[in-house]
Amino acid sequence: MGGGEPVSATSQSPQVPTRGRRADALRNQQALLAAAAAVFVTSGVEAPIREIAARAGVGIGTIYRHFPTRADLVVAVYRHQVEACAEAGSTLLANAASPLAALRQWVDLFIDFLVTKHGLANALRSDTGGFDALHTYFVDQLVPVCAQLLDASVASGEITPGTGPYELMRGIGNLCIGRDNDPEYDPRRLVDLLLRGLQQPR
């Protein structure tokens, strides 16, 4: 009785296709978040969901399936951008022409992130606890990266020592605030002046 060959664990287990589906779902979600982040930068966090769906190449229902509310989507984009900024630091430092060039490229990513962040409080509305938790996450992830880039720029002789990473990030953040009420305002030009002011005189 039961003379058939035993079925191998590999052929019987559903784990491999499940992992594949999960990897595909994760990639799709990351692509969706990248599309939403790009739309938020140009159109703000109140941009129509259909605009995000069109950029991501998915249906509106797909977005609502992943993120039932706009607040869910904005928070997910926020975390996605924090992680992207954090991961970019070392890569930029390794590949840029100089530490200062890496810092400038990183600051450009940081500005894109800040444009999204300024709509976060409105998206979360009364959830101040959630906002505070995200702010802590942001500080924990990004201040060490900014410190690494600043330290390397000081060590290379490109930047005058004495500016702290959180101080620089606060300064950049304050320069970005004006864009909320004036689409003609260009924070990047003023941030460039700020970075020029940090440079060692030649």
Side-chain angles (χ1 to χ4, degrees):
M1 192 172 171
E5 289 292 325
V7 179
S8 72
T10 305
S11 63
Q12 191 176 22
S13 171
Q15 288 182 347
V16 174
T18 299
R19 279 199 300 270
R21 284 196 299 274
R22 285 177 183 161
D24 286 345
L26 183 60
R27 277 194 297 273
N28 292 342
Q29 186 165 318
Q30 293 298 307
L32 196 159
L33 290 174
V39 170
F40 287 167
V41 166
T42 56
S43 305
V45 295
E46 297 301 326
I49 295 297
R50 66 178 176 275
E51 185 179 344
I52 297 168
R55 188 176 185 105
V58 299
I60 292 176
T62 299
I63 294 181
Y64 282 120
R65 189 162 59 250
H66 286 289
F67 309 105
T69 69
R70 184 177 295 274
D72 293 331
L73 177 60
V74 173
V75 169
V77 168
Y78 178 98
R79 292 182 68 93
H80 172 73
Q81 287 187 298
V82 168
E83 290 158 10
C85 272
E87 291 169 5
S90 297
T91 304
L92 291 172
L93 201 51
N95 297 318
S98 71
L100 179 57
L103 176 63
R104 284 182 170 281
Q105 291 173 45
W106 187 81
V107 165
D108 205 45
L109 292 174
F110 184 53
I111 291 170
D112 281 347
F113 158 74
L114 288 175
V115 172
T116 304
K117 181 180 182 290
H118 284 140
L120 185 66
N122 288 336
L124 290 178
R125 292 184 176 85
S126 62
D127 187 10
T128 54
F131 185 88
D132 290 344
L134 285 173
H135 180 72
T136 300
Y137 178 73
F138 151 77
V139 171
D140 290 347
Q141 294 291 314
L142 296 188
V143 170
V145 178
C146 186
Q148 179 189 25
L149 291 162
L150 270 177
D151 289 346
S153 297
V154 169
S156 68
E158 296 174 284
I159 280 183
T160 305
T163 301
Y166 188 68
E167 178 186 19
L168 177 61
M169 291 165 65
R170 282 287 299 269
I172 293 168
N174 288 335
L175 290 174
C176 288
I177 290 172
R179 188 186 183 280
D180 286 353
N181 302 317
D182 183 1
E184 300 300 316
Y185 175 74
D186 181 11
R188 293 181 197 275
R189 189 180 71 82
L190 293 177
V191 171
D192 180 62
L193 290 175
L194 172 62
L195 292 177
R196 287 175 187 273
L198 295 178
Q199 288 181 236
Q200 288 274 23
R202 296 292 180 186

